[in-house]
Amino acid sequence: MDVLTDLLHRARARTALVRQLIQRPPWSVTYADAPPLTVMATLGGQASIRLDDSPGAPVRLAAGDIALVAGAGRHTIADDPGTPHQVTIRGGRKYLPGGEQAAGHWNLAPRTYGDGLPGATIMLRAAYELHGDVSDRLLALLPPLAVVPAGPRTGATLELLAAEVARDEPGQDAVLNRLLDLVLVLALRAWCAESATLPAWYRALGDPAIGEALRLLHTDPARRWTVAELAAKVGLSRAAFAARFATLVGEPPLTYLTGWRMTLAADLLRDTEKTVAVVAREVGYLDAFAFSVAFKRARGVSPSTCRHQAH
């Protein structure tokens, strides 16, 4: 399993709430309690997005652009940066500037709201509920706001997604989630291809040998890997492999593996009732005591404390 696929799978970036807005200007919507990852796309007209807790200026979105908001910060989308605040969405409810609750959305079709009048802006918005420590590694690929310009690959997928949003047929949620996942992966690829501030491990994926070694570690993290075995798998000498991995990833192979195992273990401890001994075996430790020592060294707390803090 390649590393990005592994992160998306383990972070549970699979189920999202998808909505379409078709609204004639002027309009402005503030999301007060955003999820860890929000995907937005302008399908028609122009829009702007602003991170309300950031000093940065609003960013304009042309038709076909995709915006990725990483983190649960408050943000506002509008037809124009100068449009006054109109409504705030908080806890799934709509509030007016004075704080009073507004009437419900004017539903045009399933998952579609707005006025649908000529000259309207058409926006897609999807809220991803990511989960666990693994999601931190995924979100580390992105700044608080990343805008991916329109392109032929993302454009074709957005057209399919827009066509499906207003439908209400058996299996509709499955179709939407898979199309949205495709939009997300294509947008992440496009962003990472142009970004100069990516984590070292992602940049290392472009190296055939080290990228393959990372794939092996993510495919079977519980295996008792040695540097010599990994080097043999990717066709390098032990010394050359160790030096190359450390240079590109920023840490030695087994240090990277230990960190990844601790990330997986933290999520298992928080999300399951498995004993510490079972969790230890699932991440590659035969001895629960050795695992507990390694976990506390990496996380600053014992496995049992980590579990207790999550509840």
Side-chain angles (χ1 to χ4, degrees), residues 110-147:
R111 307 174 191 84
T112 302
Y113 60 93
D115 57 29
L117 295 174
T121 304
I122 304 174
M123 295 283 298
L124 275 178
R125 182 179 184 272
Y128 269 112
E129 291 295 342
L130 302 183
H131 178 77
D133 281 28
V134 173
S135 67
D136 293 339
R137 291 202 177 203
L138 179 61
L139 293 176
L141 291 172
L142 297 167
L145 173 61
V147 176

mmCIF file of all heavy atoms in Angstrom, residues 110-147:
data_model
loop_
_atom_site.group_PDB
_atom_site.id
_atom_site.type_symbol
_atom_site.label_atom_id
_atom_site.label_comp_id
_atom_site.label_asym_id
_atom_site.label_seq_id
_atom_site.Cartn_x
_atom_site.Cartn_y
_atom_site.Cartn_z
ATOM 1 N N PRO A 110 -31.951 17.366 -3.577
ATOM 2 C CA PRO A 110 -31.184 16.708 -2.510
ATOM 3 C C PRO A 110 -29.765 17.262 -2.417
ATOM 4 O O PRO A 110 -29.081 17.397 -3.428
ATOM 5 C CB PRO A 110 -31.176 15.239 -2.961
ATOM 6 C CG PRO A 110 -32.411 15.090 -3.767
ATOM 7 C CD PRO A 110 -32.578 16.396 -4.488
ATOM 8 N N ARG A 111 -29.355 17.663 -1.228
ATOM 9 C CA ARG A 111 -28.006 18.164 -0.945
ATOM 10 C C ARG A 111 -27.704 19.491 -1.638
ATOM 11 O O ARG A 111 -26.554 19.894 -1.728
ATOM 12 C CB ARG A 111 -26.942 17.130 -1.332
ATOM 13 C CG ARG A 111 -27.151 15.756 -0.745
ATOM 14 C CD ARG A 111 -26.142 14.762 -1.281
ATOM 15 N NE ARG A 111 -26.502 13.408 -0.924
ATOM 16 C CZ ARG A 111 -27.359 12.659 -1.609
ATOM 17 N NH1 ARG A 111 -27.930 13.138 -2.709
ATOM 18 N NH2 ARG A 111 -27.650 11.439 -1.218
ATOM 19 N N THR A 112 -28.727 20.161 -2.158
ATOM 20 C CA THR A 112 -28.528 21.418 -2.895
ATOM 21 C C THR A 112 -29.430 22.495 -2.315
ATOM 22 O O THR A 112 -30.622 22.260 -2.107
ATOM 23 C CB THR A 112 -28.858 21.237 -4.393
ATOM 24 O OG1 THR A 112 -28.037 20.199 -4.933
ATOM 25 C CG2 THR A 112 -28.613 22.518 -5.162
ATOM 26 N N TYR A 113 -28.858 23.666 -2.034
ATOM 27 C CA TYR A 113 -29.641 24.753 -1.491
ATOM 28 C C TYR A 113 -29.220 26.073 -2.133
ATOM 29 O O TYR A 113 -28.199 26.167 -2.802
ATOM 30 C CB TYR A 113 -29.520 24.819 0.030
ATOM 31 C CG TYR A 113 -28.120 25.031 0.545
ATOM 32 C CD1 TYR A 113 -27.638 26.316 0.813
ATOM 33 C CD2 TYR A 113 -27.274 23.948 0.791
ATOM 34 C CE1 TYR A 113 -26.358 26.515 1.290
ATOM 35 C CE2 TYR A 113 -25.990 24.137 1.268
ATOM 36 C CZ TYR A 113 -25.538 25.423 1.512
ATOM 37 O OH TYR A 113 -24.270 25.619 1.986
ATOM 38 N N GLY A 114 -30.032 27.111 -1.910
ATOM 39 C CA GLY A 114 -29.780 28.419 -2.507
ATOM 40 C C GLY A 114 -31.028 28.934 -3.178
ATOM 41 O O GLY A 114 -32.143 28.524 -2.861
ATOM 42 N N ASP A 115 -30.845 29.835 -4.143
ATOM 43 C CA ASP A 115 -32.015 30.371 -4.843
ATOM 44 C C ASP A 115 -32.101 29.883 -6.283
ATOM 45 O O ASP A 115 -33.153 29.952 -6.915
ATOM 46 C CB ASP A 115 -32.043 31.903 -4.787
ATOM 47 C CG ASP A 115 -30.782 32.546 -5.353
ATOM 48 O OD1 ASP A 115 -30.152 31.940 -6.252
ATOM 49 O OD2 ASP A 115 -30.429 33.659 -4.916
ATOM 50 N N GLY A 116 -30.989 29.399 -6.830
ATOM 51 C CA GLY A 116 -31.015 28.838 -8.173
ATOM 52 C C GLY A 116 -31.336 29.831 -9.273
ATOM 53 O O GLY A 116 -31.705 29.429 -10.382
ATOM 54 N N LEU A 117 -31.162 31.125 -9.020
ATOM 55 C CA LEU A 117 -31.528 32.135 -10.003
ATOM 56 C C LEU A 117 -30.412 32.337 -11.027
ATOM 57 O O LEU A 117 -29.259 31.973 -10.784
ATOM 58 C CB LEU A 117 -31.817 33.458 -9.289
ATOM 59 C CG LEU A 117 -33.033 33.440 -8.350
ATOM 60 C CD1 LEU A 117 -33.127 34.757 -7.588
ATOM 61 C CD2 LEU A 117 -34.313 33.163 -9.132
ATOM 62 N N PRO A 118 -30.731 32.925 -12.190
ATOM 63 C CA PRO A 118 -29.702 33.196 -13.202
ATOM 64 C C PRO A 118 -28.577 34.049 -12.624
ATOM 65 O O PRO A 118 -28.805 34.950 -11.812
ATOM 66 C CB PRO A 118 -30.471 33.939 -14.297
ATOM 67 C CG PRO A 118 -31.885 33.484 -14.139
ATOM 68 C CD PRO A 118 -32.077 33.293 -12.662
ATOM 69 N N GLY A 119 -27.339 33.754 -13.033
ATOM 70 C CA GLY A 119 -26.189 34.491 -12.551
ATOM 71 C C GLY A 119 -25.665 34.002 -11.220
ATOM 72 O O GLY A 119 -24.797 34.641 -10.616
ATOM 73 N N ALA A 120 -26.187 32.855 -10.748
ATOM 74 C CA ALA A 120 -25.786 32.353 -9.436
ATOM 75 C C ALA A 120 -24.369 31.774 -9.469
ATOM 76 O O ALA A 120 -23.904 31.268 -10.486
ATOM 77 C CB ALA A 120 -26.767 31.279 -8.968
ATOM 78 N N THR A 121 -23.698 31.864 -8.327
ATOM 79 C CA THR A 121 -22.456 31.138 -8.121
ATOM 80 C C THR A 121 -22.813 29.703 -7.735
ATOM 81 O O THR A 121 -23.770 29.476 -6.990
ATOM 82 C CB THR A 121 -21.635 31.757 -6.974
ATOM 83 O OG1 THR A 121 -21.408 33.131 -7.260
ATOM 84 C CG2 THR A 121 -20.304 31.037 -6.802
ATOM 85 N N ILE A 122 -22.057 28.740 -8.227
ATOM 86 C CA ILE A 122 -22.298 27.335 -7.876
ATOM 87 C C ILE A 122 -21.067 26.826 -7.131
ATOM 88 O O ILE A 122 -19.954 26.835 -7.670
ATOM 89 C CB ILE A 122 -22.556 26.469 -9.127
ATOM 90 C CG1 ILE A 122 -23.717 27.046 -9.942
ATOM 91 C CG2 ILE A 122 -22.862 25.027 -8.718
ATOM 92 C CD1 ILE A 122 -23.941 26.330 -11.260
ATOM 93 N N MET A 123 -21.278 26.396 -5.879
ATOM 94 C CA MET A 123 -20.188 25.917 -5.040
ATOM 95 C C MET A 123 -20.479 24.508 -4.542
ATOM 96 O O MET A 123 -21.625 24.177 -4.229
ATOM 97 C CB MET A 123 -20.011 26.824 -3.810
ATOM 98 C CG MET A 123 -19.573 28.240 -4.088
ATOM 99 S SD MET A 123 -17.813 28.354 -4.476
ATOM 100 C CE MET A 123 -17.051 27.770 -2.967
ATOM 101 N N LEU A 124 -19.440 23.702 -4.478
ATOM 102 C CA LEU A 124 -19.521 22.412 -3.808
ATOM 103 C C LEU A 124 -18.712 22.494 -2.518
ATOM 104 O O LEU A 124 -17.616 23.061 -2.501
ATOM 105 C CB LEU A 124 -18.943 21.296 -4.686
ATOM 106 C CG LEU A 124 -19.846 20.650 -5.724
ATOM 107 C CD1 LEU A 124 -19.065 19.608 -6.500
ATOM 108 C CD2 LEU A 124 -21.069 20.009 -5.083
ATOM 109 N N ARG A 125 -19.237 21.929 -1.441
ATOM 110 C CA ARG A 125 -18.509 21.900 -0.174
ATOM 111 C C ARG A 125 -18.677 20.529 0.462
ATOM 112 O O ARG A 125 -19.787 20.001 0.538
ATOM 113 C CB ARG A 125 -19.021 22.976 0.783
ATOM 114 C CG ARG A 125 -18.262 23.015 2.113
ATOM 115 C CD ARG A 125 -18.794 24.112 3.019
ATOM 116 N NE ARG A 125 -18.016 24.214 4.246
ATOM 117 C CZ ARG A 125 -18.260 23.499 5.358
ATOM 118 N NH1 ARG A 125 -19.275 22.647 5.378
ATOM 119 N NH2 ARG A 125 -17.503 23.645 6.422
ATOM 120 N N ALA A 126 -17.562 19.973 0.908
ATOM 121 C CA ALA A 126 -17.590 18.675 1.574
ATOM 122 C C ALA A 126 -16.793 18.767 2.865
ATOM 123 O O ALA A 126 -15.685 19.307 2.888
ATOM 124 C CB ALA A 126 -17.011 17.590 0.675
ATOM 125 N N ALA A 127 -17.352 18.254 3.931
ATOM 126 C CA ALA A 127 -16.710 18.289 5.245
ATOM 127 C C ALA A 127 -16.253 16.884 5.611
ATOM 128 O O ALA A 127 -17.072 15.980 5.769
ATOM 129 C CB ALA A 127 -17.691 18.822 6.284
ATOM 130 N N TYR A 128 -14.946 16.701 5.720
ATOM 131 C CA TYR A 128 -14.369 15.408 6.087
ATOM 132 C C TYR A 128 -14.143 15.339 7.589
ATOM 133 O O TYR A 128 -13.514 16.217 8.171
ATOM 134 C CB TYR A 128 -13.009 15.219 5.406
ATOM 135 C CG TYR A 128 -13.051 14.540 4.062
ATOM 136 C CD1 TYR A 128 -12.738 15.239 2.912
ATOM 137 C CD2 TYR A 128 -13.375 13.204 3.959
ATOM 138 C CE1 TYR A 128 -12.750 14.619 1.673
ATOM 139 C CE2 TYR A 128 -13.390 12.571 2.732
ATOM 140 C CZ TYR A 128 -13.079 13.282 1.591
ATOM 141 O OH TYR A 128 -13.091 12.654 0.380
ATOM 142 N N GLU A 129 -14.627 14.281 8.209
ATOM 143 C CA GLU A 129 -14.351 14.047 9.623
ATOM 144 C C GLU A 129 -13.181 13.074 9.736
ATOM 145 O O GLU A 129 -13.353 11.859 9.758
ATOM 146 C CB GLU A 129 -15.601 13.487 10.311
ATOM 147 C CG GLU A 129 -16.737 14.483 10.433
ATOM 148 C CD GLU A 129 -16.411 15.658 11.335
ATOM 149 O OE1 GLU A 129 -15.462 15.559 12.126
ATOM 150 O OE2 GLU A 129 -17.117 16.674 11.242
ATOM 151 N N LEU A 130 -11.992 13.610 9.767
ATOM 152 C CA LEU A 130 -10.807 12.777 9.951
ATOM 153 C C LEU A 130 -10.694 12.349 11.410
ATOM 154 O O LEU A 130 -11.343 12.899 12.286
ATOM 155 C CB LEU A 130 -9.555 13.541 9.530
ATOM 156 C CG LEU A 130 -9.525 14.051 8.099
ATOM 157 C CD1 LEU A 130 -8.185 14.711 7.813
ATOM 158 C CD2 LEU A 130 -9.786 12.943 7.105
ATOM 159 N N HIS A 131 -9.813 11.372 11.638
ATOM 160 C CA HIS A 131 -9.779 10.794 12.974
ATOM 161 C C HIS A 131 -8.381 10.334 13.336
ATOM 162 O O HIS A 131 -7.649 9.816 12.500
ATOM 163 C CB HIS A 131 -10.732 9.593 13.030
ATOM 164 C CG HIS A 131 -10.721 8.897 14.348
ATOM 165 N ND1 HIS A 131 -11.372 9.388 15.443
ATOM 166 C CD2 HIS A 131 -10.125 7.750 14.746
ATOM 167 C CE1 HIS A 131 -11.181 8.579 16.457
ATOM 168 N NE2 HIS A 131 -10.425 7.579 16.064
ATOM 169 N N GLY A 132 -8.033 10.523 14.591
ATOM 170 C CA GLY A 132 -6.843 9.900 15.137
ATOM 171 C C GLY A 132 -5.544 10.624 14.835
ATOM 172 O O GLY A 132 -5.483 11.621 14.120
ATOM 173 N N ASP A 133 -4.460 10.068 15.404
ATOM 174 C CA ASP A 133 -3.131 10.641 15.208
ATOM 175 C C ASP A 133 -2.667 10.549 13.761
ATOM 176 O O ASP A 133 -1.888 11.376 13.295
ATOM 177 C CB ASP A 133 -2.122 9.915 16.105
ATOM 178 C CG ASP A 133 -2.190 10.403 17.547
ATOM 179 O OD1 ASP A 133 -3.275 10.854 17.956
ATOM 180 O OD2 ASP A 133 -1.175 10.335 18.249
ATOM 181 N N VAL A 134 -3.153 9.527 13.040
ATOM 182 C CA VAL A 134 -2.759 9.375 11.643
ATOM 183 C C VAL A 134 -3.182 10.592 10.831
ATOM 184 O O VAL A 134 -2.481 11.017 9.914
ATOM 185 C CB VAL A 134 -3.362 8.090 11.046
ATOM 186 C CG1 VAL A 134 -3.097 8.010 9.549
ATOM 187 C CG2 VAL A 134 -2.780 6.858 11.742
ATOM 188 N N SER A 135 -4.330 11.161 11.174
ATOM 189 C CA SER A 135 -4.815 12.319 10.414
ATOM 190 C C SER A 135 -3.857 13.501 10.509
ATOM 191 O O SER A 135 -3.789 14.332 9.606
ATOM 192 C CB SER A 135 -6.204 12.732 10.890
ATOM 193 O OG SER A 135 -6.161 13.235 12.215
ATOM 194 N N ASP A 136 -3.099 13.585 11.626
ATOM 195 C CA ASP A 136 -2.138 14.680 11.749
ATOM 196 C C ASP A 136 -1.083 14.611 10.657
ATOM 197 O O ASP A 136 -0.632 15.633 10.137
ATOM 198 C CB ASP A 136 -1.473 14.646 13.125
ATOM 199 C CG ASP A 136 -2.448 14.954 14.252
ATOM 200 O OD1 ASP A 136 -3.490 15.573 13.968
ATOM 201 O OD2 ASP A 136 -2.173 14.567 15.400
ATOM 202 N N ARG A 137 -0.656 13.390 10.323
ATOM 203 C CA ARG A 137 0.336 13.242 9.248
ATOM 204 C C ARG A 137 -0.257 13.635 7.904
ATOM 205 O O ARG A 137 0.433 14.232 7.069
ATOM 206 C CB ARG A 137 0.828 11.799 9.191
ATOM 207 C CG ARG A 137 1.666 11.386 10.391
ATOM 208 C CD ARG A 137 2.528 10.201 10.054
ATOM 209 N NE ARG A 137 3.386 9.833 11.175
ATOM 210 C CZ ARG A 137 4.506 9.154 11.040
ATOM 211 N NH1 ARG A 137 4.915 8.765 9.844
ATOM 212 N NH2 ARG A 137 5.231 8.834 12.094
ATOM 213 N N LEU A 138 -1.522 13.313 7.699
ATOM 214 C CA LEU A 138 -2.175 13.691 6.451
ATOM 215 C C LEU A 138 -2.317 15.211 6.356
ATOM 216 O O LEU A 138 -1.987 15.822 5.336
ATOM 217 C CB LEU A 138 -3.545 13.023 6.360
ATOM 218 C CG LEU A 138 -4.386 13.332 5.127
ATOM 219 C CD1 LEU A 138 -3.678 12.882 3.854
ATOM 220 C CD2 LEU A 138 -5.750 12.684 5.238
ATOM 221 N N LEU A 139 -2.778 15.840 7.427
ATOM 222 C CA LEU A 139 -2.984 17.284 7.411
ATOM 223 C C LEU A 139 -1.672 18.048 7.337
ATOM 224 O O LEU A 139 -1.647 19.205 6.907
ATOM 225 C CB LEU A 139 -3.772 17.705 8.649
ATOM 226 C CG LEU A 139 -5.216 17.205 8.715
ATOM 227 C CD1 LEU A 139 -5.863 17.592 10.035
ATOM 228 C CD2 LEU A 139 -6.036 17.728 7.543
ATOM 229 N N ALA A 140 -0.572 17.411 7.745
ATOM 230 C CA ALA A 140 0.739 18.072 7.682
ATOM 231 C C ALA A 140 1.175 18.341 6.247
ATOM 232 O O ALA A 140 2.096 19.124 6.010
ATOM 233 C CB ALA A 140 1.791 17.228 8.394
ATOM 234 N N LEU A 141 0.513 17.707 5.281
ATOM 235 C CA LEU A 141 0.821 17.966 3.878
ATOM 236 C C LEU A 141 0.339 19.345 3.441
ATOM 237 O O LEU A 141 0.790 19.866 2.421
ATOM 238 C CB LEU A 141 0.151 16.911 2.978
ATOM 239 C CG LEU A 141 0.680 15.480 3.052
ATOM 240 C CD1 LEU A 141 -0.225 14.561 2.246
ATOM 241 C CD2 LEU A 141 2.107 15.399 2.551
ATOM 242 N N LEU A 142 -0.590 19.925 4.209
ATOM 243 C CA LEU A 142 -1.275 21.126 3.753
ATOM 244 C C LEU A 142 -1.055 22.305 4.676
ATOM 245 O O LEU A 142 -0.925 22.143 5.897
ATOM 246 C CB LEU A 142 -2.789 20.855 3.678
ATOM 247 C CG LEU A 142 -3.242 19.792 2.687
ATOM 248 C CD1 LEU A 142 -4.691 19.411 2.963
ATOM 249 C CD2 LEU A 142 -3.087 20.289 1.257
ATOM 250 N N PRO A 143 -1.068 23.511 4.125
ATOM 251 C CA PRO A 143 -1.149 24.715 4.964
ATOM 252 C C PRO A 143 -2.600 24.876 5.418
ATOM 253 O O PRO A 143 -3.480 24.104 4.999
ATOM 254 C CB PRO A 143 -0.732 25.823 3.992
ATOM 255 C CG PRO A 143 -1.213 25.331 2.669
ATOM 256 C CD PRO A 143 -1.022 23.845 2.690
ATOM 257 N N PRO A 144 -2.912 25.868 6.245
ATOM 258 C CA PRO A 144 -4.314 26.057 6.654
ATOM 259 C C PRO A 144 -5.263 26.229 5.467
ATOM 260 O O PRO A 144 -6.415 25.796 5.529
ATOM 261 C CB PRO A 144 -4.250 27.321 7.522
ATOM 262 C CG PRO A 144 -2.864 27.308 8.083
ATOM 263 C CD PRO A 144 -2.003 26.763 6.984
ATOM 264 N N LEU A 145 -4.780 26.866 4.403
ATOM 265 C CA LEU A 145 -5.598 27.025 3.197
ATOM 266 C C LEU A 145 -4.732 26.754 1.975
ATOM 267 O O LEU A 145 -3.717 27.418 1.772
ATOM 268 C CB LEU A 145 -6.180 28.440 3.119
ATOM 269 C CG LEU A 145 -6.919 28.798 1.821
ATOM 270 C CD1 LEU A 145 -8.126 27.885 1.612
ATOM 271 C CD2 LEU A 145 -7.347 30.264 1.833
ATOM 272 N N ALA A 146 -5.150 25.775 1.188
ATOM 273 C CA ALA A 146 -4.456 25.458 -0.065
ATOM 274 C C ALA A 146 -5.449 25.570 -1.208
ATOM 275 O O ALA A 146 -6.540 25.001 -1.143
ATOM 276 C CB ALA A 146 -3.881 24.037 -0.009
ATOM 277 N N VAL A 147 -5.086 26.324 -2.225
ATOM 278 C CA VAL A 147 -5.950 26.487 -3.395
ATOM 279 C C VAL A 147 -5.287 25.828 -4.598
ATOM 280 O O VAL A 147 -4.142 26.161 -4.947
ATOM 281 C CB VAL A 147 -6.230 27.975 -3.688
ATOM 282 C CG1 VAL A 147 -7.040 28.121 -4.973
ATOM 283 C CG2 VAL A 147 -6.982 28.608 -2.511
#
